[in-house]
Amino acid sequence: METILTQRRAFLQTSGALVVGFTLPAAGRAAGAPAVANGAASIPMGAFLRISADNRVSVICGQSEMGQGVFTAIPMMVAEELDADWPLVSVENGVDNALTNPIFKFQGTGGSSSVRGFWMPLRTAGAAARQMLVSAAAAQWQIDASQLRTNKSFVLGPGGRSASYGSLAEAAAKLPVPEKPTLKNPSDFRILGKSLSRLDTAAKTNGTARYGIDVQLPGMLVAVMARTPLAGAKPKAVNEAKALAIKGVKQVVTLPTGVAVLATGYWAAKKGRDAMAIDWDLGGDGSLNSAAVTQMLDEGARQADAVARKLGSVDAVPGTKIEARYEVPYLAHACMEPMNCTVWVRGDEAEVWIGTQGPGPQQGVLAGVLKTTPEKIKINMQLLGGGFGRRFSFDASTDAALLSKAAGVPVKLVFTREDDMAAQFYRPASVAQMEGVVSGSSLASLKVGVSSPSIGVSSGTKVGPGEVDRLAMEGLADHPYDIPNQLLAWGRKEPGPKVWFWRSVGHSQNGFFTESFIDELAYAAKQDPYEFRRSMLGKSLRHKGVLELAAEKAGWGAPLPKGRARGIAVVSSYGSYAAEVAEVSLNSDGSPRVHRVVCAVDCGQVVNPEIVHRQAEGAIVYGLTAALYGRITYKDGRVEQTNFHQYPMLRMHEMPKVEVHIVPSTEAPGGMGEPGTPPISPAVTNALFALTGKRVRSLPIDPAQFKA
């Protein structure tokens, strides 16, 4: 028999098992949503618990697991306040309105929001369930609940009495849900703050973990598409006969996004797709090239007029003026699992198997595509082989849905690596025109014009003329430095390629711009780069704290072996603060060698320190790969990079030693999936300047700049 505690105290009799759902109005209030007693107008934001007769607790996690550890962190938050026995806790993925992300107001995973968004809702859910179990035991034993305590999934009473949660769950489910259960004092935590083993490790190592690309259904066809090289491109002619001549190919379907070949297996579909050898009409964008992109962004940066931050006046500030231009390219996400989705359309209903960061939006978008309602779209969540923002998109699911509708059978659409690399979901290319005025040893003025395409517009947000896309300016407009005169503005330019969320979003490029230029200004002021930053952080003690810790642990100022130098950077994002010191040398061909990275993070209260360490390390690898190699370029309207031989990843022998230090904190949790990425590129390039006297102002780093 299995039991779930519920606000509505509703029972579902299923195969002899007692099943009761549980959500909390308090969780809605924690998310800033209105709530009314008895849940009449509350927004369901809590967890789901299942407590079985053998005392096992299953936590339903609505967040997508893409390697960041939510399948462990989410259950830890519930289990702590529930006072559950951790070895008996398991996790399941689920799609339900009750699992809405309190920050996004829909079910989705991104922006390093899982822990910081669910910190109070899930703890409240666990605490309420524990209180109900205690009340059930008190009623059975006819004693006051104040005489009882809990420990490892048991309610304990005087005289050695005890009752397991499993034995009490059915009675507890009939009790009213407490609206304001008492939460534990952090000093009493026995689960939170501990480096517990991840719950998904076994499945990911023994091969039982299910990713989207693993889905197999009876009668399923596999689709591979010849995708349009640019939005609006059209095939001049499609030779379906060549595709249909391939054994196993069943159908050719043309969609607005390309031409798909459906076959009994992947290899036949790919051979059929390749056999068509489509000649594309690229239209007016056929001449798109990277030089033109740069020219357009340069113009946008010079003319930037959407003001994101203004303080004092940057006109006629006395002192030494320093000017610099910075640039970053388009970047692909390069998830190890290429994009894929399986859809089975049956009438006005559809069932979907996908590894997605946004199951909630997927339901809405697919309902629109199939002209039905979201309730008739069933999403089966799969594990994600990397997300990084890419799996918030809808290209795979919408195309798979249309193909299934056309074929009348389940269809699994699979992107090749080349398809994914050229799919036009990129981190924006961006240019920044920087101007600072140094007066004596201090920074008197900062003026910046940034130009980029708009992620907000690409993802459906309205950004009018003269308005700022906050995603384009985050990491710059919210920099922490005390500077009396500032003017930071954005100039939107749209060269053509579609831009999208990328790990740390705007912070990834703006962290590079800001921390590189601050370093330049430190040298212009004849100040140590660390001390220069530290002197301007009087209003942001958390920035200052991580900066000081990183410098201390890295031995800032201590002698290094000949041919090595250090660089430093500090950036905050998603409620967390990260400072990094990179220790760098040069190889004989002029390419950088990063030997050591010291990272200090302040992410508020920590759920699982080991997960924090791993996320910081992974974010550094991701950002370092981009700094050394990442670049998507265009020539004659087409992407020039097709696979990892042209879009390299950091290799094992290139991996630096990474040390992560966590600042103890009682602040609310911040995110950790992304904050380690923004500081790494400026830390490395600042170290290169300290080593060579040559400033890197565009990424990826060009070894020719340093070749002897």
Side-chain angles (χ1 to χ4, degrees):
M1 184 172 69
E2 195 174 65
T3 304
I4 307 176
L5 302 175
T6 185
Q7 172 192 348
R8 296 184 179 88
R9 293 171 284 167
F11 298 94
L12 299 175
Q13 200 68 32
T14 309
S15 303
L18 185 64
V19 182
V20 187
F22 170 59
T23 63
L24 279 180
R29 290 198 296 278
V36 175
N38 300 320
S42 64
I43 298 175
M45 293 275 189
F48 283 87
L49 303 177
R50 290 195 181 99
I51 301 176
S52 60
D54 61 0
N55 227 18
R56 294 185 179 275
V57 175
S58 180
V59 177
I60 309 294
C61 175
Q63 296 299 95
S64 307
E65 175 58 70
M66 45 193 160
Q68 83 280 33
V70 293
F71 271 18
T72 302
I74 293 290
M76 285 179 70
M77 290 188 282
V78 176
E80 179 63 74
E81 295 291 350
L82 182 62
D83 222 0
D85 189 7
W86 181 250
L88 299 180
V89 176
S90 61
V91 63
E92 302 174 36
N93 219 175
V95 178
D96 193 282
N97 286 337
L99 302 170
T100 294
N101 185 320
I103 292 177
F104 294 164
K105 304 297 187 287
F106 59 78
Q107 189 176 352
T109 308
S112 301
S113 64
S114 295
V115 168
R116 62 193 178 104
F118 283 96
W119 174 250
M120 289 305 295
L122 293 187
R123 289 181 60 204
T124 302
R130 174 169 50 86
Q131 186 172 324
M132 294 164 72
L133 291 161
V134 169
S135 296
Q140 287 185 12
W141 296 337
Q142 296 185 344
I143 59 177
D144 192 271
S146 63
Q147 299 181 55
L148 306 181
R149 61 187 180 90
T150 57
N151 184 47
K152 294 187 175 181
S153 296
F154 276 83
V155 177
L156 308 176
R161 280 186 170 183
S162 68
S164 71
Y165 286 179
S167 68
L168 295 168
E170 183 174 347
K174 300 175 183 178
L175 300 176
V177 177
E179 290 193 14
K180 295 182 179 180
T182 301
L183 300 181
K184 287 185 179 181
N185 188 305
S187 63
D188 296 326
F189 287 167
R190 61 178 184 82
I191 292 176
L192 292 177
K194 304 296 190 298
S195 291
L196 302 180
S197 298
R198 287 178 53 157
L199 297 181
D200 56 347
T201 299
K204 288 180 175 178
T205 53
N206 64 23
T208 60
R210 295 269 294 179
Y211 293 82
I213 208 164
D214 297 324
V215 172
Q216 296 292 331
L217 298 175
M220 180 183 79
L221 294 179
V222 177
V224 176
M225 287 184 67
R227 308 193 69 82
T228 55
L230 285 170
K234 297 179 181 180
K236 294 179 180 178
V238 178
N239 191 333
E240 294 187 18
K242 286 188 176 181
L244 292 169
I246 303 295
K247 183 178 180 181
V249 171
K250 299 297 183 183
Q251 193 173 354
V252 176
V253 179
T254 298
L255 299 178
T257 52
V259 183
V261 174
L262 282 64
T264 53
Y266 170 79
W267 188 240
K270 183 181 183 301
K271 288 177 67 179
R273 188 276 303 269
D274 295 345
M276 291 189 295
I278 298 173
D279 184 19
W280 294 94
D281 179 1
L282 301 181
D285 290 328
S287 61
L288 178 66
N289 62 80
S290 291
V293 171
T294 294
Q295 183 179 354
M296 185 181 294
L297 295 176
D298 274 333
E299 179 183 341
R302 289 192 301 268
Q303 298 174 356
D305 60 357
V307 177
R309 184 171 179 177
K310 188 177 189 302
L311 183 65
S313 174
V314 296
D315 297 326
V317 177
T320 303
K321 182 185 290 188
I322 309 297
E323 295 180 287
R325 174 194 175 278
Y326 284 83
E327 181 178 10
V328 296
Y330 291 111
L331 292 177
H333 299 78
C335 305
M336 287 298 102
E337 178 195 17
M339 296 296 290
N340 62 85
C341 180
T342 302
V343 180
W344 191 355
V345 176
R346 288 169 282 191
D348 64 348
E349 298 182 348
E351 191 165 1
V352 183
W353 292 260
I354 186 172
T356 176
Q357 292 178 247
Q362 289 283 358
Q363 285 179 308
V365 169
L366 290 176
V369 169
L370 297 174
K371 296 180 172 55
T372 186
T373 60
E375 294 75 20
K376 293 186 177 182
I377 307 294
K378 180 182 178 183
I379 305 290
N380 298 289
M381 284 286 291
Q382 310 297 303
L383 293 173
L384 286 65
F388 314 123
R390 177 67 175 96
R391 282 189 156 87
F392 249 129
S393 60
F394 309 104
D395 50 336
S397 57
T398 54
D399 285 346
L402 292 172
L403 293 173
S404 176
K405 186 175 182 178
V409 298
V411 172
K412 177 163 72 173
L413 174 62
V414 179
F415 287 44
T416 66
R417 175 65 59 194
E418 290 79 6
D419 295 337
D420 212 357
M421 197 73 74
Q424 295 191 70
F425 283 84
Y426 303 127
R427 197 280 304 273
S430 185
V431 166
Q433 295 286 349
M434 319 284 285
E435 179 184 299
V437 176
V438 172
S439 179
S441 61
S442 63
L443 181 54
S445 174
L446 177 66
K447 181 181 179 182
V448 182
V450 172
S451 183
S452 69
S454 171
I455 293 176
V457 171
S458 286
S459 58
T461 301
K462 291 184 179 179
V463 180
E467 293 180 351
V468 177
D469 180 351
R470 65 170 186 82
L471 298 174
M473 293 298 285
E474 62 184 6
L476 174 58
D478 54 353
H479 75 77
Y481 297 113
D482 299 334
I483 306 170
N485 303 290
Q486 302 181 45
L487 180 61
L488 313 177
W490 177 58
R492 179 185 169 192
K493 289 292 183 180
E494 300 288 349
K498 187 177 183 66
V499 294
W500 203 244
F501 312 98
W502 190 89
R503 193 171 189 170
S504 77
V505 199
H507 300 92
S508 68
Q509 67 264 29
N510 291 327
F512 170 65
F513 297 155
T514 304
E515 286 300 289
S516 297
F517 193 54
I518 289 292
D519 216 70
E520 287 203 52
L521 295 167
Y523 280 94
K526 297 181 171 55
Q527 297 293 303
D528 175 85
Y530 159 63
E531 294 292 353
F532 187 68
R533 287 174 170 82
R534 188 172 176 273
S535 70
M536 295 188 291
L537 292 175
K539 295 178 182 177
S540 183
L541 298 182
R542 295 181 76 181
H543 282 93
K544 190 175 182 180
V546 291
L547 184 76
E548 291 175 343
L549 182 59
E552 174 197 340
K553 296 298 184 180
W556 187 266
L560 282 169
K562 185 179 180 181
R564 292 193 188 185
R566 297 186 185 96
I568 195 167
V570 58
V571 182
S572 65
S573 57
Y574 309 105
S576 292
Y577 303 75
E580 291 168 11
V581 175
E583 188 176 309
V584 178
S585 69
L586 288 175
N587 296 314
S588 59
D589 64 353
S591 61
R593 176 75 173 98
V594 183
H595 299 271
R596 180 188 182 207
V597 177
V598 176
C599 174
V601 297
D602 176 354
C603 55
Q605 295 183 67
V606 175
V607 170
N608 186 312
E610 183 58 32
I611 290 178
V612 170
H613 280 252
R614 292 177 183 179
Q615 283 304 290
E617 292 163 359
I620 287 167
V621 172
Y622 202 74
L624 183 56
T625 294
L628 296 177
Y629 302 119
R631 179 195 286 127
I632 289 290
T633 57
Y634 277 85
K635 183 179 180 181
D636 298 329
R638 294 177 182 270
V639 175
E640 294 187 282
Q641 292 72 26
T642 60
N643 211 314
F644 290 134
H645 67 295
Q646 295 166 318
Y647 196 88
M649 299 288 105
L650 195 74
R651 299 303 181 104
M652 290 183 69
H653 72 275
E654 299 172 298
M655 181 65 194
K657 177 183 178 182
V658 177
E659 303 168 24
V660 180
H661 302 276
I662 302 173
V663 176
S665 177
T666 58
E667 299 284 346
M672 268 312 300
E674 296 162 283
T677 295
I680 186 60
S681 58
V684 169
T685 57
N686 292 340
L688 288 171
F689 178 80
L691 181 66
T692 68
K694 296 179 180 179
R695 185 66 65 179
V696 176
R697 296 193 181 96
S698 63
L699 295 179
I701 299 165
D702 182 5
Q705 181 178 352
F706 302 105
K707 193 171 183 180

